[in-house]
Amino acid sequence: MTPNDADALVTQLPTPTPSAPAPDVAPPAAPATLDDVRRVAQRLRERMRDQVMGRDDIIELVLVALFADGHVLLEDYPGSGKTTLAKALGHSIVDDRRQDELADFRRIQFTPDLLPSDVTGVMIFDTVTNAFSFRRGPVFAYVVLVDEINRTSPKVQSALLEAMAEKQVTVDNTTHRLDELFFVLATQNPLDSVGTYPLPMAQLDRFLFKLSMKHIDRASELEVLRTWGTPRAPRELPKVTRGDVVTSRGLVRQQVAVDERVQECLVDIARLLRADKRVRQGVSTRCLVQAIPALQTLAVLRGRDYVSSADLESLAPVLFAHRLDVAPGVQVDALITETLRGPIDRLSRQTIGGA
């Protein structure tokens, strides 16, 4: 080959294009094992901890609810980081389908003048086509923060019942499906009762957990003050896809064993609570059904493929407390602890799974 031929060959070669930047999403391979599920949860945990300090316990329970396909009610003080927590979760999940172009996160501020259509959506008349079309409300998103849920009327509160229970909304006799990932984080202030409408038991029963957010510890609060307003070096923490979360939910259901004795313990606890004279309304069967995937998820996060008595003891207070209507003066947490003692002790003495 002559030099001229070599030059001609070089000019015919395609010009190399710059490599695309590394994506900030998880690898395309869908989760296939419980180890994969733990890795998905760890990505979410790291992104949330990067934005919210001193809330590791709350972050874990929010992740349990997310993978258990439940919803969370946060009872907190103003300025405790609830919006930041919800945003961090919502913005950590990206759409891998590109079909409906749903938002990853939406915030709804509940106020006394809010209407149900402000949440679910409304029919709009198009003067060009002379037809009505549905304009989706903010409830159409992967993660929805419902801020101060007890600030609005029961009529608007009930607009969430169908969405939370069946992942759909009905407007003008037409049903519109929500995404399978749909996850609600609702908040309410535990102290300010002026101008509020307490949630009815039917609404509370839709929430898997009710979590009380205490003030963060001294070291975390000092760290917030030290870093506030200081430019932080950007951290390229990987995100996860919608499919990662949905697939992980299925894997948890299929691959985490729930011994029949765990189910019996759950039912025994529920029946003891219902029979207690201090309890005016006990936990529902729905609560027990929702408890199973929550226990399975916690077991996975703790590195096991079976549910143990320790999982049940950890989750029982946040599973049951908000579903109980007790007599005046009765401390719900103390009542649950007392009721758990017998069934949990019996369960812990038995060999379950790999224990």
Side-chain angles (χ1 to χ4, degrees):
M1 180 182 295
T2 66
N4 290 338
D5 292 336
D7 292 340
L9 180 60
V10 170
T11 58
Q12 293 176 9
L13 293 176
T15 303
T17 57
S19 58
D24 61 354
V25 300
T33 66
L34 294 182
D35 286 337
D36 294 334
V37 174
R38 278 188 280 270
R39 280 190 283 270
V40 172
Q42 185 60 27
R43 293 191 194 105
L44 291 172
R45 189 197 308 271
E46 289 176 357
R47 289 185 63 89
M48 294 168 73
R49 291 182 64 183
D50 187 56
Q51 298 295 319
V52 183
M53 299 178 184
R55 297 291 187 194
D56 290 357
D57 54 341
I58 296 295
I59 288 173
E60 180 179 57
L61 290 172
V62 168
L63 289 176
V64 169
L66 176 68
F67 286 96
D69 199 7
H71 306 288
V72 175
L73 177 61
L74 292 173
E75 191 170 73
D76 65 333
Y77 300 97
S80 59
K82 60 184 183 299
T83 302
T84 304
L85 177 68
K87 280 184 177 180
L89 175 60
H91 295 328
S92 298
I93 303 172
V94 295
D95 189 1
D96 54 351
R97 300 178 307 159
R98 301 300 178 191
Q99 293 178 357
D100 298 329
E101 296 184 352
L102 286 179
D104 48 21
F105 171 78
R106 283 287 182 265
R107 179 178 181 271
I108 311 174
Q109 180 65 53
F110 272 21
T111 56
D113 60 345
L114 206 67
L115 298 174
S117 59
D118 295 327
V119 176
T120 60
V122 65
M123 299 299 293
I124 301 294
F125 183 73
D126 190 337
T127 57
V128 176
T129 62
N130 287 328
F132 284 92
S133 61
F134 179 63
R135 178 179 292 176
R136 297 188 297 194
V139 76
F140 285 85
Y142 294 146
V143 178
V144 178
L145 172 63
V146 179
D147 210 357
E148 295 188 289
I149 189 173
N150 57 343
R151 285 287 179 193
T152 194
S153 66
K155 184 176 183 179
V156 180
Q157 292 174 2
S158 63
L160 281 174
L161 287 176
E162 182 183 14
M164 294 173 63
E166 303 176 46
K167 296 191 178 180
Q168 66 182 33
V169 295
T170 302
V171 179
D172 284 356
N173 295 323
T174 301
T175 298
H176 305 272
R177 294 292 303 174
L178 299 172
D179 190 78
E180 188 176 357
L181 179 57
F182 178 65
F183 178 67
V184 172
L185 269 169
T187 70
Q188 65 179 14
N189 193 319
L191 300 179
D192 190 359
S193 60
V194 178
T196 60
Y197 302 85
L199 294 178
M201 296 301 294
Q203 182 87 45
L204 289 172
D205 200 38
R206 259 61 174 191
F207 289 101
L208 177 65
F209 297 149
K210 179 182 176 183
L211 308 178
S212 297
M213 294 177 66
K214 308 297 184 183
H215 292 297
I216 58 177
D217 59 83
R218 184 176 185 272
S220 298
E221 204 158 22
L222 283 171
E223 184 64 20
V224 171
L225 297 182
R226 291 191 186 104
T227 58
W228 180 255
T230 303
R232 299 176 60 187
R235 298 186 61 191
E236 296 297 329
L237 297 174
K239 297 183 181 181
V240 305
T241 67
R242 169 200 172 276
D244 287 337
V245 178
V246 173
T247 302
S248 295
R249 287 175 175 176
L251 290 172
V252 170
R253 308 296 183 279
Q254 298 165 9
Q255 299 186 17
V256 179
V258 183
D259 194 280
E260 184 176 346
R261 289 166 292 184
V262 174
Q263 299 174 356
E264 292 173 355
C265 184
L266 262 177
V267 172
D268 290 343
I269 293 170
R271 295 181 68 84
L272 285 172
L273 288 171
R274 294 167 189 159
D276 197 303
K277 294 181 179 180
R278 295 167 292 180
V279 177
R280 296 185 292 194
Q281 180 173 321
V283 297
S284 66
T285 303
R286 179 196 286 122
C287 170
L288 305 183
V289 171
Q290 293 178 339
I292 297 298
L295 293 168
Q296 290 175 305
T297 303
L298 185 62
V300 171
L301 297 184
R302 292 180 171 180
R304 285 182 276 100
D305 62 354
Y306 64 92
V307 175
S308 73
S309 60
D311 301 323
L312 182 51
E313 189 171 11
S314 296
L315 292 187
V318 292
L319 278 168
F320 297 147
H322 63 290
R323 291 176 161 102
L324 294 175
D325 183 15
V326 300
V330 176
Q331 295 294 324
V332 176
D333 292 340
L335 171 62
I336 293 175
T337 301
E338 175 187 332
T339 306
L340 286 176
R341 190 174 299 120
I344 290 293
D345 285 348
R346 288 193 296 272
L347 183 64
S348 62
R349 289 195 294 267
Q350 304 176 43
T351 301
I352 297 176

